[in-house]
Amino acid sequence: VPSETPIITLTTDFGSSDGFVGIVKGVILSLSPQARLVDLSHDIASWDVGAASWIIWNGHRFFPPGTIHLCVVDPAVGSTSQRGIILTDGSAFFVGPDNGIFTLLLEEQREWRSIELTNKELWRKEVSATFHTRDIYGPVCAHLANGKTTADFGAEVPMDTVTRLPVQKARQEGNAWEGSIVYIDKFGNMVSNIPAQAVKPGWRCSVKGAFIAKVGTTYASAPKEEFSAFVGSHGYLEVGAYQANAAEIWGGSVGASVRLEPT
Amino acid sequence: VPSETPIITLTTDFGSSDGFVGIVKGVILSLSPQARLVDLSHDIASWDVGAASWIIWNGHRFFPPGTIHLCVVDPAVGSTSQRGIILTDGSAFFVGPDNGIFTLLLEEQREWRSIELTNKELWRKEVSATFHTRDIYGPVCAHLANGKTTADFGAEVPMDTVTRLPVQKARQEGNAWEGSIVYIDKFGNMVSNIPAQAVKPGWRCSVKGAFIAKVGTTYASAPKEEFSAFVGSHGYLEVGAYQANAAEIWGGSVGASVRLEPT
Amino acid sequence: VPSETPIITLTTDFGSSDGFVGIVKGVILSLSPQARLVDLSHDIASWDVGAASWIIWNGHRFFPPGTIHLCVVDPAVGSTSQRGIILTDGSAFFVGPDNGIFTLLLEEQREWRSIELTNKELWRKEVSATFHTRDIYGPVCAHLANGKTTADFGAEVPMDTVTRLPVQKARQEGNAWEGSIVYIDKFGNMVSNIPAQAVKPGWRCSVKGAFIAKVGTTYASAPKEEFSAFVGSHGYLEVGAYQANAAEIWGGSVGASVRLEPT
C-alpha cells in the first residue's frame, strides 16, 4: 500500500450483529482492494441522524487530508424523494444520504460543494430499495478511493438545497451562557454546545436548572461518583462523573438545558 | 499488499469484550502478515449456529473470488465426535466446525467439496480443548491465504456426510405462499424465506396468522412506526416498521409463520 | 506493506458507539500510514482496570514479536499525579497510563523496562485533559511503529515505581487448591487463577463453597445447561456450562472462591 491510498471511514447505525458492515466492506474491497477501512461507529442508536451528525463532525477532524467518510443513518432509504450526495471541501469527502446527517459539518465555514449521486455506472448493477450503503454509497467511496473525481458521480447541486437539521446553539446572557446537551457518550458524559472559550475555572455549571458542579479540568477533579464540569476533548463544556454515569444519575438527555455562570 | 492477497472474513459468536477475536487475528497475522481481515459478525447470539448460517450465506456473496471465510459458532468445541472442515466451491473457502454452520450455503447448487482438517502440522503446536478458532481454524485460514491448497490440510470427505440443520422452506399454495421468519436483524426487521420472485406489489402479508402490511418497496413505504413488507436486500420478503422495531412490536421470532397472498 | 511493519493492538473501555476508537486510529494512521491496527477489546466495563489487565495479559501472547499494544482504561485521565509509560521486555511494547493496567504482565518474570512519557514533541500539539489516548498514547504508538526507540519518549523509571494492583493467587492446601474467579467472559465462563498443572481429570471443583462440577475437558463434557470444569484456553481452571451462562446461573463474580480437590 502506498501511503497515499485514501482511508475510508465508516459510520452507520447498522450494529455489529448482522454482517451488514462486513458486506459493505466486501463491496468496497472488491472495487478498491487497497483501501484502508476504519470504523468510526456502527452502534449509533437506530435511525438517530442527529447523533450520527455529531459523531462524524467530531471524528472526521482527526483523519488525514483525502480521507473519505461513508456516513449512513438512513431511515428513509429507498424513498423516491431522497437523494444521495458527496459533500466535500476539497480535502475531506463525505458520502451518504441528504437527510441532515451532515448538519454539524455544514455549521463550519468552509468551501463546501455538494454533488448529487446520479451516475449509475458507478453503483452496483442491481440496486436494492433498502441497502443503498451496499449498492450505492459503498461503491461510490471505493471509486473515490480509486481516483475518480467528484464530477464523475453527478452534477453539483446548490448548497442551500442540502438538508440541515435544526441546530441548538448556546447563547451568552450577560456573563452567563445558556446552552444544552447535544450528545451523551457511553460513559454517560454529557456534552454541551457551550464552547471552550466560554469556560472559566471555578464557574458554576447547572444542568436542567439545578447546580451540578463547578468547572474543573477532568473527571477526576471530583471525588468518586461525584460530578465535574470541564472542557471536553471535542472543545465544548462537558459534564461527567468520576467512575460513574453522569447522565443516568442526573437524568440528563440530549436537549436538556445547561447553564454556565460566574460564582 | 498486492491486490491479490486474499481477504479473510471472520464470523463468530465471540463478542467484542474479551479479546478472543483479536487473539485469532494475532495468530493469523503471525502466520500471514499480509492478510486482509474483515469482521462479518462477532455478535451472533451465543451458540446460535442457525443465525451464523444465515449471516455467512448472506454476507459471503459480496466478497471477491478467493476470499476465505472463518466461520465459528461452536458450542461443542473440543468434543471428540466433531471435526473441522474446509468447504469450498473453488472460488470461496469456508473454514469451521462441521456442525451445521454451512447449512444455507449447501442449499445452493454448486460444486461443493469438503476437506476434513487433519494435518496438525498446519495448526498451532498446542491445541486447547476450547479454542479451536485460535489453534486450528485461524491457522488454517492463514495458511490458505499463504497459498496452501486444500489437499494440504487433509482428505476430502463425502458431501453427504457434512452436517446440515433442518431448513425451513417456503411453499406455494395456489396463488399464496406460506413461509416463515428465518432471521431478525438489529433493527427488528423480520426476514422470511419467501423469495423475491413471489412478491407482488400490493399483495397482503400476514405474520403469525394476522395481516401485518401490504407489499410496498421500503421501510418508509409506511407512516412512522407502522409496518411495511417488501423485498429485502437479501432477495427475500422482509417485514419492517418505519423507524421502529417490527419484531418487538409484533412479537415476531425466528420460525413464526408468514403468509403472502393476492388481495 | 513490508511484513515487518509492526502491528498495533488497541484495548480500551471506549465502547463502539461514540467514535473514540476510530479517532485514535485516525491519529495513528495520520502519523504512521502503514500501521496495521487490530482491536483487542473496546467493550471492557467502563473504568475496569483489572479486567483490562487480564485481557491484555491473555491476548498479547498471540501477537508476533515487535507488536505494540495500546492499553487504556483510565478513569483518572488528566490527573496531575498520573504518568503515562511504555512498558517493554524488548519484544512487546505496551503503552498506557501507569495505573495498574499492566499488573498481570508484570507478574511474569521478564526483563521489564519502563519509560515515562515526557517528550511532548512526540504527542499531539494540543493535549486535552480527558483524551490522552488520542493526544499522547496513540501518537506514541505510531512513532514506535515508525521506528523511534523507547529512549526517544522519555527517561527510564525504576520498575518498583510502576503501579501494581493486588493480585489474587491460588494456593495449595495439602492436595487441594484454593483460588478465586479472576475473569468472566461473554459466555459466562468463569476463569480462575488455579493453574493448568494443578488440574487433574475427575477432581472436584467448588465455586463459592459448593460443588459445581468434576473436571472434564470442555463445555460439552456436561449435558446441556449443566456445568463443567476444565483447563481453559488461557492455561487456568475454568468453569462453564454447556450452551448456558455459568456465571449467571451460579451467581459467580470476580473474586468468588474456587476450590479444587481430589475425590
Side-chain angles (χ1 to χ4, degrees):
Chain A
V1 181
S3 64
E4 57 271 38
T5 307
I7 293 167
I8 300 174
T9 79
L10 300 96
T11 305
T12 75
D13 62 347
F14 294 173
S16 51
S17 53
D18 304 309
F20 299 147
V21 173
I23 286 171
V24 175
K25 292 179 179 174
V27 168
I28 292 174
L29 292 173
S30 296
L31 293 166
S32 181
Q34 318 260 350
R36 290 176 296 159
L37 305 174
V38 177
D39 297 308
L40 200 48
S41 175
H42 300 294
D43 288 332
I44 295 169
S46 298
W47 316 297
D48 191 341
V49 177
S53 176
W54 188 86
I55 289 168
I56 293 160
W57 163 77
N58 186 47
H60 86 282
R61 302 177 281 171
F62 302 98
F63 286 84
T67 296
I68 299 157
H69 303 275
L70 176 72
C71 309
V72 184
V73 171
D74 191 10
V77 56
S79 303
T80 51
S81 58
Q82 183 175 285
R83 63 188 177 188
I85 59 173
I86 300 171
L87 179 74
T88 182
D89 61 356
S91 172
F93 299 83
F94 303 87
V95 177
D98 179 17
N99 67 358
I101 198 168
F102 305 121
T103 297
L104 288 180
L105 287 171
L106 294 172
E107 290 292 302
E108 303 207 335
Q109 298 301 321
R110 305 194 211 166
E111 294 288 328
W112 291 116
R113 289 185 308 114
S114 180
I115 293 88
E116 183 172 351
L117 302 176
T118 54
N119 182 1
K120 298 185 181 183
E121 298 294 316
L122 299 174
W123 304 356
R124 287 189 79 233
K125 283 212 176 58
E126 293 188 38
V127 173
S128 77
T130 57
F131 202 175
H132 286 183
T133 309
R134 179 190 72 188
D135 300 336
I136 301 177
Y137 304 129
V140 165
C141 289
H143 288 301
L144 272 175
N146 287 347
K148 293 279 184 200
T149 61
T150 54
D152 294 324
F153 297 93
E156 213 165 311
V157 292
M159 282 307 301
D160 59 7
T161 69
V162 176
T163 304
R164 297 189 188 208
L165 304 173
V167 174
Q168 304 274 354
K169 287 190 182 169
R171 65 183 191 281
Q172 210 166 352
E173 291 194 350
N175 270 340
W177 281 78
E178 293 279 354
S180 58
I181 302 299
V182 295
Y183 190 79
I184 293 175
D185 72 22
K186 83 85 115 166
F187 295 99
N189 300 314
M190 300 181 280
V191 179
S192 83
N193 53 6
I194 298 177
Q197 59 270 25
V199 183
K200 310 284 187 249
W203 278 29
R204 292 167 53 85
C205 176
S206 303
V207 173
K208 291 172 65 183
F211 172 75
I212 187 165
K214 289 199 176 183
V215 170
T217 56
T218 186
Y219 310 102
S221 300
K224 197 165 175 183
E225 300 192 2
E226 293 190 16
F227 299 101
S228 54
F230 47 85
V231 176
S233 64
H234 31 69
Y236 288 86
L237 178 70
E238 175 175 331
V239 179
Y242 187 36
Q243 300 195 43
N245 188 305
E248 267 182 32
I249 301 172
W250 197 254
S253 56
V254 169
S257 67
V258 179
R259 184 178 168 86
L260 182 69
E261 61 197 335
T263 42
Chain B
V1 182
S3 64
E4 58 271 40
T5 308
I7 294 168
I8 300 173
T9 80
L10 300 97
T11 305
T12 74
D13 62 347
F14 295 173
S16 52
S17 53
D18 305 310
F20 299 147
V21 174
I23 286 171
V24 175
K25 292 179 178 174
V27 168
I28 292 173
L29 292 173
S30 296
L31 292 167
S32 181
Q34 318 261 349
R36 291 176 296 157
L37 305 174
V38 177
D39 298 307
L40 199 48
S41 175
H42 300 294
D43 289 330
I44 296 170
S46 298
W47 317 296
D48 191 341
V49 176
S53 177
W54 188 88
I55 289 168
I56 292 160
W57 163 79
N58 186 47
H60 86 283
R61 303 177 280 171
F62 303 98
F63 287 84
T67 296
I68 298 156
H69 302 276
L70 176 72
C71 308
V72 184
V73 171
D74 191 10
V77 56
S79 304
T80 50
S81 58
Q82 183 175 283
R83 64 187 178 188
I85 60 172
I86 299 171
L87 179 75
T88 181
D89 62 357
S91 174
F93 299 84
F94 303 87
V95 177
D98 180 17
N99 65 358
I101 198 168
F102 304 122
T103 296
L104 289 180
L105 287 171
L106 294 173
E107 290 292 302
E108 305 206 334
Q109 298 301 322
R110 305 194 210 167
E111 294 288 327
W112 292 117
R113 290 186 307 116
S114 181
I115 293 87
E116 183 172 351
L117 302 175
T118 54
N119 182 0
K120 298 185 182 184
E121 297 295 316
L122 299 174
W123 304 356
R124 287 189 78 232
K125 283 212 178 59
E126 294 189 37
V127 173
S128 76
T130 57
F131 202 174
H132 286 183
T133 309
R134 180 190 72 189
D135 299 335
I136 301 176
Y137 304 127
V140 165
C141 290
H143 288 300
L144 273 174
N146 286 349
K148 292 280 183 201
T149 61
T150 53
D152 294 324
F153 297 93
E156 213 164 311
V157 293
M159 282 308 300
D160 59 8
T161 69
V162 176
T163 305
R164 297 189 187 207
L165 304 174
V167 174
Q168 305 273 353
K169 285 189 183 171
R171 63 183 192 279
Q172 209 166 352
E173 292 195 350
N175 270 340
W177 281 77
E178 293 281 353
S180 57
I181 302 298
V182 295
Y183 190 80
I184 294 174
D185 73 20
K186 83 86 117 163
F187 295 100
N189 300 312
M190 300 181 280
V191 180
S192 83
N193 52 4
I194 298 177
Q197 58 270 27
V199 183
K200 310 282 186 252
W203 278 27
R204 293 167 52 85
C205 178
S206 302
V207 173
K208 290 171 65 183
F211 172 75
I212 187 165
K214 288 198 176 183
V215 169
T217 57
T218 187
Y219 311 101
S221 300
K224 197 166 174 182
E225 301 191 1
E226 293 191 17
F227 298 102
S228 55
F230 47 85
V231 176
S233 64
H234 30 71
Y236 288 86
L237 178 71
E238 175 175 331
V239 180
Y242 187 35
Q243 301 194 42
N245 189 306
E248 266 181 33
I249 300 172
W250 196 256
S253 56
V254 169
S257 67
V258 179
R259 185 179 167 86
L260 181 69
E261 61 197 334
T263 41
Chain C
V1 181
S3 64
E4 57 271 39
T5 308
I7 294 168
I8 300 173
T9 80
L10 300 96
T11 304
T12 74
D13 62 348
F14 293 173
S16 52
S17 54
D18 304 310
F20 298 146
V21 173
I23 286 171
V24 175
K25 292 178 178 174
V27 168
I28 292 173
L29 293 172
S30 296
L31 293 167
S32 181
Q34 318 260 351
R36 291 177 295 158
L37 304 174
V38 176
D39 297 308
L40 199 49
S41 174
H42 300 294
D43 290 330
I44 296 170
S46 299
W47 316 298
D48 191 341
V49 176
S53 176
W54 189 87
I55 289 168
I56 293 160
W57 164 78
N58 186 45
H60 86 283
R61 301 177 281 170
F62 303 97
F63 288 85
T67 297
I68 298 156
H69 302 277
L70 176 72
C71 309
V72 183
V73 171
D74 191 10
V77 56
S79 303
T80 50
S81 57
Q82 183 175 283
R83 63 187 178 187
I85 60 172
I86 300 171
L87 179 74
T88 182
D89 62 356
S91 173
F93 299 83
F94 303 87
V95 177
D98 180 17
N99 66 359
I101 198 167
F102 303 122
T103 296
L104 289 180
L105 287 172
L106 295 172
E107 290 292 303
E108 305 206 336
Q109 299 301 322
R110 305 194 212 166
E111 292 287 326
W112 292 116
R113 289 186 307 115
S114 181
I115 294 88
E116 183 171 352
L117 303 175
T118 53
N119 181 1
K120 299 186 180 183
E121 298 295 316
L122 299 174
W123 303 356
R124 287 190 78 234
K125 284 212 174 59
E126 294 189 37
V127 173
S128 77
T130 58
F131 202 174
H132 286 183
T133 309
R134 180 190 72 190
D135 301 334
I136 300 176
Y137 304 127
V140 165
C141 288
H143 288 300
L144 273 174
N146 287 348
K148 292 280 185 199
T149 60
T150 52
D152 294 323
F153 296 93
E156 214 166 310
V157 293
M159 282 307 300
D160 59 7
T161 69
V162 176
T163 305
R164 297 189 188 207
L165 304 174
V167 174
Q168 304 275 351
K169 287 191 184 168
R171 64 182 191 282
Q172 209 166 353
E173 291 195 350
N175 270 339
W177 280 78
E178 294 279 353
S180 57
I181 302 298
V182 295
Y183 190 79
I184 294 174
D185 72 21
K186 82 86 114 163
F187 296 98
N189 300 313
M190 300 181 280
V191 180
S192 82
N193 52 6
I194 299 177
Q197 59 270 27
V199 183
K200 310 283 185 250
W203 278 28
R204 294 168 51 86
C205 177
S206 302
V207 173
K208 290 170 68 182
F211 171 75
I212 187 165
K214 288 198 177 182
V215 169
T217 58
T218 185
Y219 310 104
S221 300
K224 198 165 175 185
E225 301 192 1
E226 293 190 17
F227 299 101
S228 55
F230 47 85
V231 175
S233 64
H234 30 70
Y236 288 86
L237 178 71
E238 175 175 331
V239 180
Y242 187 35
Q243 301 195 43
N245 188 306
E248 267 181 32
I249 301 172
W250 197 256
S253 56
V254 169
S257 68
V258 179
R259 184 178 169 86
L260 182 69
E261 61 197 334
T263 40

